[in-house]
Amino acid sequence: MFSGGSFGAFKTAAQGAAKVTYNAAMGALGATAIGSGVLLFNLNRTAAYANMEAEGLHPADYPFPQKKMLGTFDHASIRRGFQVFKEVCAACHSLDLVYWRNLVGVAYSDEEARAMAEEYEYTDGPDDQGEMFERTGKLTDPIPRPYANEEAARAANAGALPPDLSLITKARHGGVDYIYALLTGYTDAPAGVDIKEGLNYNPYFPGGSIAMAQNIFDGVVEYEDGTPNTASQITKDVVTFLNWAAEPELDDRKKIGAKAALLFSSLTLIALWIKRNRWHTIKTRKIVFNSPKNWGKSPFDKSK
């Protein structure tokens, strides 16, 4: 049999052991979760993996400024990138979700964007006679397509359909890193790899065989601002433009996020101060129980 003191000590020890076991279990669970997350993150960033040929090489992490937490677009690069798109990419790829007006205030002035739109003819109508007619472009028109329809695009590209580039950086795993690696990753096929006629070898493209030929080389465009027109610079600019086309709200979103973080941080500090100010009198209150002198006497006992 336990005496009162020994039983209390045993109970305290048991409670302490249970608490230590619980803390150890929760610590092990947390360490396992964190370790698994770190492992999966590193595996996802690894350049080489088992199914590399079927899925394509994993792209490197390129230092695009807009990828940083508070980074924004290089708008001069967006302007140069649109020039690259017009002179190189627009021959095959469409940009259906971008209109001339979207370029105003981002890379071009109102007059510059209007002048570029007027270089193209658009089918409009019907007129008063019920006939369709041709007119010069205006800011409310989309960037013109290179082909009238999907069948025409396939016929001009040996059956391959060039994808629309409006959301391409969001539609591909790896985003801007993948697009940059793809455009700069053309090389000769290694020994033992058979590339069919009309296809090109690119280790970053799933399967390694891609219908699009390499189109970006040193000097393929001449920049109006004098920026060196190396292949890497040209690729960086066009990828930046495509990233903007897919996420035109990125700069504003980050500005709003920074303002929201500052606002809610201030409100949190104010809330904590109010909480401590209102509750400190209660939380620091000491309750003392003073037992009556005749504690052992029954309240029904009338005797003195």
Side-chain angles (χ1 to χ4, degrees), residues 135-244:
R135 61 164 176 80
T136 57
K138 50 188 179 182
L139 290 179
T140 53
D141 291 321
I143 305 298
R145 294 180 175 182
Y147 304 106
N149 49 58
E150 180 179 326
E151 288 70 20
R154 290 186 182 278
N157 292 276
L161 177 64
D164 180 81
L165 300 182
S166 302
L167 301 174
I168 195 67
T169 60
K170 296 173 69 175
R172 298 293 184 269
H173 179 70
V176 293
D177 293 330
Y178 168 75
I179 303 300
Y180 184 92
L182 181 72
L183 294 177
T184 58
Y186 287 90
T187 185
D188 295 332
V193 176
D194 182 27
I195 302 298
K196 296 181 180 179
E197 183 179 358
L199 299 180
N200 305 275
Y201 180 73
N202 192 314
Y204 294 98
F205 189 76
S209 299
I210 183 172
M212 181 178 71
Q214 184 175 5
N215 292 294
I216 296 180
F217 305 92
D218 292 341
V220 71
V221 297
E222 290 292 335
Y223 286 136
E224 57 186 13
D225 61 357
T227 300
N229 55 351
T230 61
S232 59
Q233 179 66 48
I234 293 171
T235 306
K236 180 258 185 184
D237 291 335
V238 73
V239 171
T240 298
F241 167 73
L242 294 176
N243 192 188
W244 168 82

Side-chain angles (χ1 to χ4, degrees), residues 247-258:
E247 300 181 86
E249 80 294 342
L250 184 141
D251 286 355
D252 291 335
R253 187 175 71 233
K254 290 187 176 182
K255 290 178 182 177
I256 294 173

